[in-house]
Amino acid sequence: MAEIINMPRLSDTMEEGTVAAWLKKVGDKIEEGDILAEIETDKATMEFESFHEGTLLHIGVQEGETTKVDELLAIIGEEGEDISGLLNGGSEKPSEDKKEESKEEEDEAENGNKSSETQDIPDGVTVVTMPRLSDTMEEGTVATWLKKVGDVVEEGDILAEIETDKATMEFESFQSGTLLYVGLEEGDSAKVDSLLAIIGPKGTDVSGIAKNFKADGDASAKKETSKPEVKQEPKSEAPKKETITQDTVSQISENTSTGRVFISPLAKKMAEEKGINISQVKGSGENGRIVKRDIENFTPSAAVQSSAPVAKFVASGQEDFDEKPNSQMRKAIAKNLAKSKFTAPHYYLNVEFDMDNAIAFRTQYNSIPDTKISFNDMIVKACALALRQHPQVNSQWFDDKMKLNNHVHIGVAVAVEDGLLVPVVKFANEQSLPQIGAAVKDFAGRARNKKLSLDEMEGSTFTISNLGMFGIESFTSIINQPNSAILSVGAIVQKPVVKNGQIVPGNTMKLTLACDHRTVDGATGAQFLQTLKGYIENPVTMLV
């Protein structure tokens, strides 16, 4: 039986490969572990070994040609075997596909008939679908049902708590009636507009409505998946390589004091697992290459056995792991931060501020009865005042324009169990230090209890992330889009500093400003940090 060999994925980022050299030609005998070809990936040129035995019957990609991963590379089988069917795409598979397709068409037609029979919704019955509770929400999870099937529901009653990508929110009913059907159990997730519940007059049979709603979704899904992509990508040609240097295959070899040891990837992996020193193995493959059977048949030499014995390590533990489903918040964080990192060209500006005056100022300020401010509150206030002087840093990027915000809304990153929330201190430049402190403290408490509203987490024009309380001295952050910058704040560190030509004890704090180069140039970011430095190192100026 002939085996189809496809272009392998030799690295995690590889999408296509180029055949640098074929080490076997059509008609050659192939043993398991033999090197078929050298494949040029996006990272290196690597040897590709055969996992099958037989005769090389067909080469699908010539030297210097490029093709996508999983496209036909070669065919190995018995000598003289007819492979025309494989080259033409097979004769049996299309008929099977045809049968499957016609069967699916019949199913769809049947579903369509069912749908038409049961599509009329009785008077007073309302189908409730998964609501879109935030602008970025794509799916929701039912955290808790506050009503059960059979309960009377009044307009305005809370039906359930829905976990979105930003928070867990109460979902109220806009209809009155009896809860007749629940489409999702607690903990289940579904896309926006999926069936959530059905409300109507008591005793109404809604089984047909629920079944029809699901049948439509299944049919459409089946329809989408029943048409696989069959067109082949055209092969792009790369320039022919006349010679292959040793460097191109260095990843599949070992350098030892006695010279180069050639070994197949499979044999190398087996040797590592068995703890075998490959320099002691004699290869039986081409040009003395070590292959799978050499590792399987290897026995330690007498010289090795006569050396001082070393107790073999025997692991007492076992490999295991726990799986934790991704919450909606975690999915949203992954999506939004990946989008920011790969669409906004980040660059970073690092500074170190003298904090002696800030420490003295805070101590004096907190001596006022019933007053307590933190260094973070001071940084929020200083940033707000500095942003008023540098609107370019307080901006947003659009494809055809930039929006320079005249208001200052500071987002303060708060760590919670499932990830990160960013409540917004609005008009921070107009608030006093105690007011900022009270707002941040309130936001942080409610964020950890998932009680923040969407309005309290939207509209930021600049973001601050502070890990100083965890002892982190310096770090970089990913911009919280649509902001143009984010400030990373480190811990205050006591260390020797130079003042007036003398080495004296001092307190410093490192900050890193991440900027979107589309809106904030390097000089603009530097000027903003200079203004911020003035406020932080002389905090009394924030009170003027």
Side-chain angles (χ1 to χ4, degrees):
M1 180 70 182
E3 295 287 347
I4 295 177
I5 312 299
N6 292 329
M7 174 63 73
R9 188 182 299 277
L10 298 174
S11 76
D12 53 351
T13 58
M14 177 179 172
E15 294 182 356
E16 62 181 15
T18 301
V19 176
W22 280 102
L23 303 182
K24 297 287 184 180
K25 59 183 184 294
V26 173
D28 283 357
K29 293 288 183 184
I30 308 295
E31 297 291 333
E32 185 179 351
D34 284 355
I35 304 302
L36 283 178
E38 291 176 343
I39 307 292
E40 184 181 335
T41 74
D42 56 340
K43 293 182 177 178
T45 301
M46 305 178 70
E47 293 175 335
F48 173 53
E49 69 176 283
S50 173
F51 296 98
H52 307 284
E53 295 182 352
T55 301
L56 184 57
L57 302 175
H58 175 76
I59 287 178
V61 182
Q62 299 303 317
E63 290 185 0
E65 290 184 345
T66 302
T67 190
K68 297 284 185 184
V69 168
D70 294 332
E71 291 291 316
L72 176 65
L73 182 65
I75 298 177
I76 296 174
E78 296 178 5
E79 189 173 358
E81 186 175 349
D82 182 16
I83 58 170
S84 58
L86 294 176
L87 293 175
N88 295 330
S91 56
E92 294 178 12
K93 197 171 181 181
S95 63
E96 286 173 11
D97 289 345
K98 207 167 185 182
K99 279 182 190 175
E100 209 170 297
E101 216 170 78
S102 62
K103 188 180 178 185
E104 284 171 4
E105 284 173 8
E106 287 173 17
D107 289 346
E108 283 178 25
E110 203 175 300
N111 285 338
N113 292 335
K114 282 182 186 176
S115 168
S116 59
E117 288 170 13
T118 58
Q119 67 181 15
D120 292 336
I121 298 176
D123 290 340
V125 173
T126 302
V127 175
V128 182
T129 58
M130 176 64 72
R132 187 183 300 278
L133 297 174
S134 77
D135 53 350
T136 58
M137 177 178 171
E138 295 181 357
E139 64 178 17
T141 300
V142 176
T144 311
W145 278 106
L146 302 180
K147 297 285 185 180
K148 60 182 184 292
V149 173
D151 283 358
V152 175
V153 178
E154 297 293 335
E155 184 178 350
D157 284 356
I158 305 301
L159 279 179
E161 290 181 345
I162 306 292
E163 183 184 340
T164 74
D165 56 343
K166 293 184 175 178
T168 300
M169 305 179 66
E170 294 178 336
F171 174 53
E172 67 177 273
S173 174
F174 296 98
Q175 293 83 26
S176 296
T178 300
L179 184 58
L180 304 173
Y181 177 82
V182 168
L184 292 175
E185 298 300 325
E186 291 184 359
D188 288 351
S189 300
K191 297 286 185 185
V192 169
D193 295 333
S194 297
L195 178 62
L196 183 63
I198 300 177
I199 296 174
K202 186 176 182 180
T204 306
D205 181 13
V206 294
S207 58
I209 299 173
K211 186 177 179 182
N212 182 55
F213 195 100
K214 289 183 180 178
D216 290 345
D218 291 345
S220 63
K222 190 181 286 185
K223 191 174 181 182
E224 287 175 10
T225 56
S226 65
K227 297 181 181 177
E229 196 77 26
V230 293
K231 67 175 184 177
Q232 281 191 332
E233 293 282 344
K235 296 176 184 176
S236 57
E237 289 195 7
K240 283 264 186 180
K241 294 191 177 180
E242 295 179 358
T243 60
I244 305 298
T245 65
Q246 286 191 348
D247 289 340
T248 60
V249 292
S250 61
Q251 287 197 351
I252 316 298
S253 67
E254 295 288 331
N255 289 312
T256 66
S257 58
T258 57
R260 190 173 176 188
V261 177
F262 290 92
I263 182 170
S264 73
L266 178 60
K268 182 180 179 183
K269 183 181 179 184
M270 290 174 62
E272 288 173 351
E273 288 174 351
K274 294 185 176 184
I276 296 174
N277 184 347
I278 60 173
S279 64
Q280 299 170 0
V281 181
K282 185 177 180 182
S284 61
E286 301 174 289
N287 302 317
R289 183 181 304 278
I290 300 170
V291 293
K292 175 184 174 183
R293 59 178 172 269
D294 299 323
I295 300 299
E296 289 176 335
N297 300 329
F298 173 77
T299 54
S301 65
V304 174
Q305 288 177 344
S306 63
S307 61
V310 177
K312 185 179 178 182
F313 168 73
V314 178
S316 58
Q318 62 180 12
E319 293 182 356
D320 63 355
F321 59 89
D322 296 323
E323 285 190 354
K324 181 181 179 182
N326 291 328
S327 65
Q328 299 304 316
M329 184 186 298
R330 178 55 62 189
K331 291 177 186 175
I333 290 170
K335 179 181 175 182
N336 295 336
L337 293 187
K339 178 184 175 185
S340 174
K341 187 66 176 175
F342 296 115
T343 59
H346 287 53
Y347 72 91
Y348 305 93
L349 301 174
N350 303 300
V351 289
E352 188 169 10
F353 291 168
D354 182 350
M355 295 298 289
D356 285 345
N357 289 341
I359 292 171
F361 173 84
R362 177 174 176 264
T363 301
Q364 189 173 5
Y365 203 100
N366 284 344
S367 66
I368 301 171
D370 301 322
T371 303
K372 186 173 178 62
I373 62 170
S374 67
F375 290 110
N376 195 64
D377 303 332
M378 295 166 62
I379 293 165
V380 171
K381 177 70 173 180
C383 285
L385 295 174
L387 287 168
R388 289 288 295 159
Q389 299 179 44
H390 301 278
Q392 197 81 11
V393 184
N394 197 42
S395 63
Q396 294 175 353
W397 168 264
F398 296 92
D399 288 337
D400 57 342
K401 62 181 180 294
M402 280 192 296
K403 183 164 79 172
L404 306 181
N405 296 300
N406 296 319
H407 59 278
V408 179
H409 294 347
I410 304 288
V412 181
V414 177
V416 295
E417 184 181 353
D418 286 340
L420 194 70
L421 293 177
V422 186
V424 181
V425 180
K426 297 185 177 178
F427 302 103
N429 58 305
E430 299 175 13
Q431 296 193 41
S432 67
L433 287 167
Q435 287 171 335
I436 291 172
V440 171
K441 185 177 180 181
D442 174 56
F443 284 148
R446 289 193 288 124
R448 294 185 183 101
N449 293 322
K450 294 186 177 181
K451 297 300 181 183
L452 287 175
S453 67
L454 289 177
D455 183 59
E456 292 171 321
M457 294 185 287
E458 294 177 342
S460 67
T461 61
F462 184 85
T463 306
I464 296 172
S465 179
N466 190 342
L467 293 178
M469 67 283 291
F470 298 108
I472 303 301
E473 294 185 20
S474 177
F475 67 103
T476 58
S477 301
I478 298 174
I479 295 170
N480 180 32
Q481 288 186 333
N483 299 170
S484 288
I486 182 171
L487 186 69
S488 306
V489 182
I492 297 175
V493 178
Q494 190 171 36
K495 66 178 187 180
V497 297
V498 178
K499 290 186 178 180
N500 301 320
Q502 300 292 320
I503 298 177
V504 296
N507 295 277
T508 65
M509 180 175 68
K510 292 179 180 178
L511 302 95
T512 302
L513 182 69
C515 303
D516 184 341
H517 218 317
R518 296 174 299 182
T519 50
V520 184
D521 293 325
T524 305
Q527 289 164 2
F528 167 78
L529 288 173
Q530 285 298 310
T531 303
L532 182 64
K533 178 185 175 79
Y535 285 123
I536 297 293
E537 293 190 348
N538 299 284
V540 69
T541 57
M542 291 190 284
L543 303 179
V544 177

